[in-house]
Amino acid sequence: MTEDAPETRVAILSPIYRNPGSPYGGITPVVRNLTRGLAGLGILVDLLIRQMRGSKGVPEELPEGVRVIDLDTHHRLTTVPAVARYLREVRPRALLGAGHRFNISAAWVRYLARDCRIFLSVHNTMSREVQARGAYRRWQRRQAISRFYPLADGIIAVSDGVAEDLVQHFGIARESVSVIHNPIVTDDLIRRAGEPLSHPWFTGEGPPVILSVGRLSRQKAFGTLIRAFEIVRRQLDCRLIILGEGPERGALEALAESLGVSGNVQMPGFDDNPVRYMAHADVFALSSDYEGFGNVLVEALAAGAPVVSTDCPSGPAEILDGGRYGRLVTPGDPPALADAIMGTLRDPRAVDQGRAAVRPYEADTVAKQYAGILCPDPDDAGRGS
């Protein structure tokens, strides 16, 4: 941008992306990397946060041109008028919702601020998300998606599978949905992959280590992975580390104990730099029943880890190019996952091949795709609607 160029500003209605206890763990690095990528293109970005919750909510290392706007609201009903006031006062080029709860608020803003272009980003396979809830919550969420998502000017899905899911299960018009994969690969990620790791299982000539990362929830199906690990252990001395925290910890610990592998399974909890573990792992395994994209697969490939994954909806098959960059197995099948892990330990994919696979997910590349939708006319960007 030149000094005389008109201002280009977009707003992102976002979860707090620095809080590791947030349920938006997969979305928050996407928002961080997208924000930085857009700023690198000369686009001014306002992050609209419902409530800062003190210093824990302050995003770190924000680039020049990014502002954090504290809406100071506690519920989506009070968020909507606060966002509408912001839009009328600031008049950004576009508003982007990040994740379902924020998408609903962004869509509702359409009733109060009709002169701003509004986009929603969908980060999970929503039909599977709906199934995981009680009957009333399932009905409520289906109604919300089917009724309010079409109010937006467009929807951005993080994978082809997520896009098709919206069309097939919620009646969203396919022409209103664009697919842009997540911005995962950054110079900072590569730097963090090279940071030292002092864990004793990664020093010396010990047994191979299988790694997984994610929230300890039913969606991630770590029980399938632990059962697969027990099968692998019958054939080969090895170890399993699962990084993450969540409500399934007790059940997973009990499962490992019942299978007799608890001494070779560690669940250290949340780690703010899992990619350094990925850089040292002999195999990275994703065992989920469903995903929206599978950020950790991209991170593992970028860090140089051989990967295996369930062929779950949606994302892993796209990331791994149908099995070219890592073995794919049916979800919920421990013997198949065990076979894939053993095969990968014997014949890991070349590191340079995995890194080639992640080029489409470089943050700068993805930010340009978002900019093309949020600010489609560079000659007229930033002049308001």
Side-chain angles (χ1 to χ4, degrees):
M1 289 177 57
T2 66
E3 293 184 2
D4 297 330
E7 185 178 87
T8 307
R9 184 180 299 276
V10 299
I12 302 176
L13 183 59
S14 165
I16 297 171
Y17 71 55
R18 192 180 172 190
N19 181 2
S22 168
Y24 307 104
I27 297 178
T28 54
V30 171
V31 173
R32 178 185 63 234
N33 293 342
L34 175 60
T35 298
R36 292 172 176 171
L38 292 173
L41 296 174
I43 297 172
L44 304 179
V45 181
D46 286 349
L47 287 175
L48 309 185
I49 307 296
R50 277 186 183 171
Q51 189 182 33
M52 294 299 291
R53 301 179 187 174
S55 61
K56 287 184 179 179
V58 179
E60 56 190 359
E61 299 178 5
L62 289 175
E64 183 179 355
V66 178
R67 302 187 305 185
V68 178
I69 309 296
D70 185 1
L71 300 175
D72 195 23
T73 61
H74 302 270
H75 190 273
R76 70 181 64 166
L77 292 178
T78 54
T79 298
V80 172
V83 174
R85 285 193 297 272
Y86 160 84
L87 295 179
R88 287 194 291 266
E89 293 172 3
V90 178
R91 295 180 62 81
R93 189 63 194 270
L95 170 69
L96 174 68
H100 176 70
R101 294 184 183 181
F102 300 89
N103 285 341
I104 293 299
S105 295
W108 283 356
V109 170
R110 168 62 72 221
Y111 293 115
L112 300 178
R114 296 182 177 274
D115 61 347
C116 179
R117 299 166 69 245
I118 294 174
F119 296 90
L120 315 179
S121 59
V122 183
H123 295 256
N124 217 331
T125 304
M126 298 308 296
S127 66
R128 299 298 298 269
E129 276 278 285
V130 167
Q131 290 174 15
R133 299 168 186 274
Y136 174 72
R137 293 293 300 277
R138 287 198 298 269
W139 175 85
Q140 184 184 51
R141 181 157 286 198
R142 282 189 178 279
Q143 290 295 309
I145 295 171
S146 299
R147 180 176 179 182
F148 295 112
Y149 277 35
L151 296 175
D153 292 280
I155 298 171
I156 298 171
V158 298
S159 67
D160 291 327
V162 167
E164 292 305 317
D165 183 75
L166 290 170
V167 174
Q168 294 179 12
H169 293 278
F170 300 97
I172 304 296
R174 185 61 183 87
E175 60 270 20
S176 70
V177 184
S178 302
V179 176
I180 302 180
H181 296 307
N182 283 338
I184 303 300
V185 183
T186 63
D187 290 342
D188 181 63
L189 183 142
I190 302 304
R191 177 192 62 77
R192 289 187 295 114
E195 288 184 353
L197 179 62
S198 60
H199 192 286
W201 285 4
F202 293 102
T203 59
E205 297 296 326
V209 179
I210 302 156
L211 175 71
S212 195
V213 178
R215 189 166 186 262
L216 305 184
S217 64
R218 291 184 180 181
Q219 173 187 351
K220 303 301 181 182
F222 288 124
T224 297
L225 177 58
I226 292 173
R227 289 183 174 91
F229 174 72
E230 187 273 333
I231 295 171
V232 174
R233 281 274 304 168
R234 299 177 204 167
Q235 307 170 66
L236 177 71
D237 184 21
C238 56
R239 293 164 170 169
L240 172 65
I241 294 178
I242 302 174
L243 297 178
E245 195 53 80
E248 293 292 299
R249 169 176 286 278
L252 295 172
E253 290 174 340
L255 176 63
E257 182 71 30
S258 71
L259 294 174
V261 295
S262 59
N264 297 97
V265 176
Q266 284 193 4
M267 291 184 282
F270 173 83
D271 191 286
D272 62 3
N273 184 12
V275 290
R276 59 181 173 159
Y277 285 80
M278 295 171 181
H280 290 84
D282 295 281
V283 177
F284 180 87
L286 186 144
S287 55
S288 298
D289 286 337
Y290 66 96
E291 289 284 345
F293 180 65
N295 294 348
V296 290
L297 282 180
V298 175
E299 291 173 342
L301 288 168
V307 304
V308 301
S309 176
T310 51
D311 188 9
C312 66
S314 306
E318 297 172 44
I319 294 168
L320 300 181
D321 192 18
R324 178 183 177 189
Y325 297 120
R327 290 171 172 84
L328 290 162
V329 301
T330 303
D333 188 340
L337 184 57
D339 285 346
I341 291 171
M342 283 297 299
T344 302
L345 287 171
R346 294 190 185 109
D347 180 25
R349 298 291 195 267
V351 170
D352 57 347
Q353 185 184 43
R355 287 177 176 158
V358 303
R359 291 195 184 108
Y361 318 116
E362 292 177 349
D364 292 345
T365 298
V366 175
K368 290 176 183 177
Q369 296 171 352
Y370 267 91
I373 290 178
L374 301 177
C375 306
D377 185 353
D379 294 328
D380 189 43
R383 297 178 186 175
S385 301

